[in-house]
Amino acid sequence: MADLARLRGRSFLVLGRAGMDLYADPPGTRIEAAGRFVAHLGGSSANIAVALVRQGCKAALVTRVSDDAVGRFCLAQLDAYGVDRTHVRTEGGEARNSLAVVETRAADCQSVIYRNGAADFAMGMEDVEAVDYARFSALVTTGTVLAAEPSRSATFRAFDLARKAGLPLIFDVDYRPYSWPSAAMASAVYSRAGALCDVIAGNDLEFGFMAGDPAKGLDKARSLIGAGAQIVVYKMGEKGAITITPDSEFATGIYPTRALKPTGAGDSFLGAFAAALAEERALREAVLRGSAAAAMVVARVGCAPAMPTRADLDAFLAEHPGPEGTEDAHSAA
């Protein structure tokens, strides 16, 4: 069990993909009817890194991108957002970068993901062993990096190295069925990862999947505390979240918002939540800051560009002092 006080250093190492998102433009346009698209940085791990930077933290990404124009777009975007890409390597040959074609629509939102020959799955032992873990305050990863080899083994190696350096491990379940050869393998690997991590966040469907039974997701979340996790956040969409620790369990609501799209909420939640923990805010406040950030992102176009700054988030919270009374809300935790 790592000391969460280490988070005070506010320097995060993030494992996982950076991709290109193409949004049908203007907002509300269906992909098949679009005459133009707007490009943004995407990929769950890159989005989390951007969210952390915008909350005043430092973030470095470990991944691979394709050795082509799309990969170079991602590198340029990481630079523009202030994410350290020292440990982002290019992968040549037939490797291709993650690409998402997405709509800005609150209902019936289509998202087409291209992960054929994904460059980020080529992340190997040499990538994670090149990192000086002592420089960082925590290791953050999403479940996507575990879906294929050599990325899966490299991630567990990074867990070992980070743990030896005293870093807390933060895990966003982020289950994407299309990336896995089978649900059974995904469930087993996620359970193995969850048993090693200190802070875990996921939604009710993801925990239900890990449990092998949609009705037992909350039981699975609680069991991870028994296995050694220090904080588990069980998110339930419009019903808010249940946060579990070895000593307590509490529920929180969501913040009202006029959603433009459903994407980006989880990445924004994790970034703002982790940044708040790093600021030594109370756990309930940290969860609420994550929930507010999620509400903000679904009301904006894009994922990475929609991540709020700390000033943005503070202003939102000043206008929305509590998450109660949100029966018409469409966002959040």
Side-chain angles (χ1 to χ4, degrees), residues 240-269:
I242 297 173
T243 301
I244 310 159
T245 74
D247 303 315
S248 66
E249 184 174 310
F250 61 85
T252 49
I254 64 169
Y255 288 87
T257 191
R258 187 180 297 277
L260 292 178
K261 65 182 194 320
T263 54
D267 301 335
S268 184
F269 174 90

Short mmCIF file of all heavy atoms in Angstrom, two decimals, residues 240-269:
data_model
loop_
_atom_site.label_atom_id
_atom_site.label_comp_id
_atom_site.label_asym_id
_atom_site.label_seq_id
_atom_site.Cartn_x
_atom_site.Cartn_y
_atom_site.Cartn_z
N GLY A 240 -25.19 9.59 -9.66
CA GLY A 240 -24.07 10.05 -8.86
C GLY A 240 -23.01 8.98 -8.68
O GLY A 240 -22.74 8.19 -9.58
N ALA A 241 -22.41 8.95 -7.51
CA ALA A 241 -21.31 8.01 -7.26
C ALA A 241 -21.32 7.57 -5.80
O ALA A 241 -21.83 8.27 -4.92
CB ALA A 241 -19.97 8.68 -7.58
N ILE A 242 -20.77 6.40 -5.58
CA ILE A 242 -20.52 5.90 -4.23
C ILE A 242 -19.01 5.76 -4.09
O ILE A 242 -18.36 5.10 -4.91
CB ILE A 242 -21.20 4.55 -3.98
CG1 ILE A 242 -22.73 4.70 -4.08
CG2 ILE A 242 -20.82 3.98 -2.62
CD1 ILE A 242 -23.48 3.37 -4.02
N THR A 243 -18.46 6.40 -3.08
CA THR A 243 -17.02 6.35 -2.83
C THR A 243 -16.77 5.49 -1.60
O THR A 243 -17.40 5.67 -0.56
CB THR A 243 -16.46 7.76 -2.63
OG1 THR A 243 -16.73 8.53 -3.79
CG2 THR A 243 -14.96 7.71 -2.39
N ILE A 244 -15.84 4.56 -1.76
CA ILE A 244 -15.59 3.55 -0.72
C ILE A 244 -14.14 3.61 -0.28
O ILE A 244 -13.22 3.72 -1.11
CB ILE A 244 -15.88 2.14 -1.27
CG1 ILE A 244 -17.26 2.09 -1.94
CG2 ILE A 244 -15.79 1.09 -0.18
CD1 ILE A 244 -17.42 0.94 -2.92
N THR A 245 -13.91 3.59 1.02
CA THR A 245 -12.57 3.50 1.60
C THR A 245 -12.60 2.40 2.66
O THR A 245 -13.68 1.88 2.99
CB THR A 245 -12.14 4.83 2.25
OG1 THR A 245 -12.85 5.00 3.49
CG2 THR A 245 -12.39 6.02 1.34
N PRO A 246 -11.47 2.03 3.23
CA PRO A 246 -11.51 1.01 4.29
C PRO A 246 -12.31 1.43 5.51
O PRO A 246 -12.78 0.58 6.28
CB PRO A 246 -10.02 0.84 4.65
CG PRO A 246 -9.29 1.22 3.40
CD PRO A 246 -10.08 2.36 2.82
N ASP A 247 -12.50 2.76 5.69
CA ASP A 247 -13.15 3.26 6.90
C ASP A 247 -14.54 3.83 6.69
O ASP A 247 -15.27 4.06 7.66
CB ASP A 247 -12.29 4.35 7.55
CG ASP A 247 -10.89 3.85 7.87
OD1 ASP A 247 -10.78 2.74 8.42
OD2 ASP A 247 -9.92 4.56 7.55
N SER A 248 -14.91 4.10 5.44
CA SER A 248 -16.19 4.78 5.22
C SER A 248 -16.71 4.52 3.82
O SER A 248 -15.99 4.00 2.95
CB SER A 248 -16.03 6.29 5.44
OG SER A 248 -15.18 6.84 4.44
N GLU A 249 -17.96 4.92 3.62
CA GLU A 249 -18.60 4.82 2.31
C GLU A 249 -19.62 5.95 2.24
O GLU A 249 -20.40 6.14 3.18
CB GLU A 249 -19.28 3.46 2.18
CG GLU A 249 -19.91 3.20 0.84
CD GLU A 249 -20.43 1.77 0.71
OE1 GLU A 249 -19.68 0.82 1.02
OE2 GLU A 249 -21.62 1.62 0.32
N PHE A 250 -19.61 6.72 1.15
CA PHE A 250 -20.57 7.81 1.05
C PHE A 250 -21.01 8.01 -0.39
O PHE A 250 -20.29 7.66 -1.33
CB PHE A 250 -20.00 9.13 1.62
CG PHE A 250 -18.76 9.63 0.91
CD1 PHE A 250 -18.85 10.41 -0.23
CD2 PHE A 250 -17.49 9.34 1.41
CE1 PHE A 250 -17.70 10.89 -0.87
CE2 PHE A 250 -16.35 9.80 0.78
CZ PHE A 250 -16.46 10.59 -0.36
N ALA A 251 -22.21 8.56 -0.54
CA ALA A 251 -22.77 8.81 -1.86
C ALA A 251 -22.72 10.31 -2.17
O ALA A 251 -22.82 11.15 -1.27
CB ALA A 251 -24.21 8.32 -1.92
N THR A 252 -22.55 10.63 -3.43
CA THR A 252 -22.58 12.02 -3.89
C THR A 252 -23.45 12.10 -5.13
O THR A 252 -23.59 11.11 -5.87
CB THR A 252 -21.18 12.55 -4.22
OG1 THR A 252 -20.50 11.62 -5.06
CG2 THR A 252 -20.36 12.77 -2.95
N GLY A 253 -24.00 13.28 -5.38
CA GLY A 253 -24.84 13.50 -6.55
C GLY A 253 -24.05 14.05 -7.72
O GLY A 253 -22.82 14.03 -7.74
N ILE A 254 -24.78 14.56 -8.69
CA ILE A 254 -24.16 15.12 -9.89
C ILE A 254 -24.54 16.59 -10.01
O ILE A 254 -25.38 17.11 -9.28
CB ILE A 254 -24.59 14.37 -11.16
CG1 ILE A 254 -26.10 14.53 -11.39
CG2 ILE A 254 -24.22 12.90 -11.07
CD1 ILE A 254 -26.56 14.05 -12.76
N TYR A 255 -23.89 17.26 -10.95
CA TYR A 255 -24.17 18.67 -11.21
C TYR A 255 -25.00 18.83 -12.47
O TYR A 255 -24.78 18.12 -13.45
CB TYR A 255 -22.85 19.45 -11.35
CG TYR A 255 -22.12 19.61 -10.04
CD1 TYR A 255 -21.25 18.63 -9.60
CD2 TYR A 255 -22.34 20.72 -9.24
CE1 TYR A 255 -20.59 18.76 -8.38
CE2 TYR A 255 -21.69 20.85 -8.02
CZ TYR A 255 -20.81 19.87 -7.60
OH TYR A 255 -20.17 19.99 -6.39
N PRO A 256 -25.96 19.77 -12.46
CA PRO A 256 -26.80 19.95 -13.64
C PRO A 256 -25.99 20.51 -14.81
O PRO A 256 -25.08 21.32 -14.62
CB PRO A 256 -27.85 20.95 -13.17
CG PRO A 256 -27.19 21.70 -12.07
CD PRO A 256 -26.29 20.72 -11.38
N THR A 257 -26.32 20.07 -15.98
CA THR A 257 -25.63 20.58 -17.17
C THR A 257 -26.52 20.35 -18.38
O THR A 257 -27.41 19.50 -18.36
CB THR A 257 -24.28 19.87 -17.36
OG1 THR A 257 -23.51 20.55 -18.35
CG2 THR A 257 -24.46 18.42 -17.80
N ARG A 258 -26.26 21.10 -19.43
CA ARG A 258 -26.94 20.88 -20.69
C ARG A 258 -25.96 20.15 -21.61
O ARG A 258 -25.11 20.76 -22.26
CB ARG A 258 -27.38 22.22 -21.32
CG ARG A 258 -28.25 22.05 -22.56
CD ARG A 258 -28.66 23.41 -23.12
NE ARG A 258 -29.48 24.14 -22.19
CZ ARG A 258 -30.79 23.98 -22.04
NH1 ARG A 258 -31.42 23.08 -22.79
NH2 ARG A 258 -31.47 24.70 -21.19
N ALA A 259 -26.05 18.84 -21.63
CA ALA A 259 -25.06 18.04 -22.32
C ALA A 259 -25.14 18.19 -23.84
O ALA A 259 -26.23 18.17 -24.42
CB ALA A 259 -25.23 16.57 -21.95
N LEU A 260 -23.98 18.31 -24.47
CA LEU A 260 -23.87 18.29 -25.93
C LEU A 260 -23.50 16.91 -26.43
O LEU A 260 -23.77 16.57 -27.59
CB LEU A 260 -22.80 19.29 -26.40
CG LEU A 260 -23.07 20.78 -26.22
CD1 LEU A 260 -21.88 21.58 -26.71
CD2 LEU A 260 -24.33 21.18 -26.99
N LYS A 261 -22.87 16.11 -25.57
CA LYS A 261 -22.36 14.80 -25.97
C LYS A 261 -22.10 13.98 -24.72
O LYS A 261 -21.98 14.54 -23.61
CB LYS A 261 -21.04 14.97 -26.75
CG LYS A 261 -19.92 15.56 -25.89
CD LYS A 261 -18.65 15.77 -26.65
CE LYS A 261 -17.45 16.03 -25.77
NZ LYS A 261 -17.64 16.87 -24.61
N PRO A 262 -21.95 12.66 -24.83
CA PRO A 262 -21.69 11.84 -23.64
C PRO A 262 -20.21 11.57 -23.40
O PRO A 262 -19.85 11.00 -22.36
CB PRO A 262 -22.42 10.53 -23.98
CG PRO A 262 -22.31 10.44 -25.47
CD PRO A 262 -22.37 11.85 -25.99
N THR A 263 -19.33 11.94 -24.32
CA THR A 263 -17.93 11.52 -24.24
C THR A 263 -17.07 12.48 -23.41
O THR A 263 -17.34 13.67 -23.34
CB THR A 263 -17.32 11.41 -25.64
OG1 THR A 263 -17.54 12.64 -26.35
CG2 THR A 263 -17.97 10.28 -26.42
N GLY A 264 -16.01 11.94 -22.80
CA GLY A 264 -15.03 12.75 -22.08
C GLY A 264 -15.27 12.89 -20.60
O GLY A 264 -14.38 13.35 -19.87
N ALA A 265 -16.45 12.52 -20.13
CA ALA A 265 -16.79 12.74 -18.71
C ALA A 265 -15.87 11.97 -17.78
O ALA A 265 -15.38 12.51 -16.77
CB ALA A 265 -18.24 12.37 -18.45
N GLY A 266 -15.63 10.69 -18.09
CA GLY A 266 -14.80 9.87 -17.21
C GLY A 266 -13.37 10.36 -17.13
O GLY A 266 -12.77 10.38 -16.04
N ASP A 267 -12.80 10.77 -18.26
CA ASP A 267 -11.43 11.27 -18.27
C ASP A 267 -11.33 12.56 -17.47
O ASP A 267 -10.37 12.77 -16.71
CB ASP A 267 -10.97 11.52 -19.71
CG ASP A 267 -11.03 10.27 -20.56
OD1 ASP A 267 -10.96 9.15 -20.01
OD2 ASP A 267 -11.15 10.41 -21.80
N SER A 268 -12.30 13.44 -17.65
CA SER A 268 -12.30 14.70 -16.92
C SER A 268 -12.47 14.47 -15.43
O SER A 268 -11.80 15.10 -14.60
CB SER A 268 -13.43 15.59 -17.44
OG SER A 268 -13.40 16.86 -16.82
N PHE A 269 -13.37 13.53 -15.08
CA PHE A 269 -13.56 13.20 -13.66
C PHE A 269 -12.24 12.78 -13.04
O PHE A 269 -11.84 13.29 -11.98
CB PHE A 269 -14.59 12.09 -13.50
CG PHE A 269 -14.73 11.61 -12.08
CD1 PHE A 269 -15.63 12.20 -11.22
CD2 PHE A 269 -13.91 10.59 -11.58
CE1 PHE A 269 -15.73 11.80 -9.89
CE2 PHE A 269 -14.00 10.19 -10.26
CZ PHE A 269 -14.91 10.78 -9.42
#
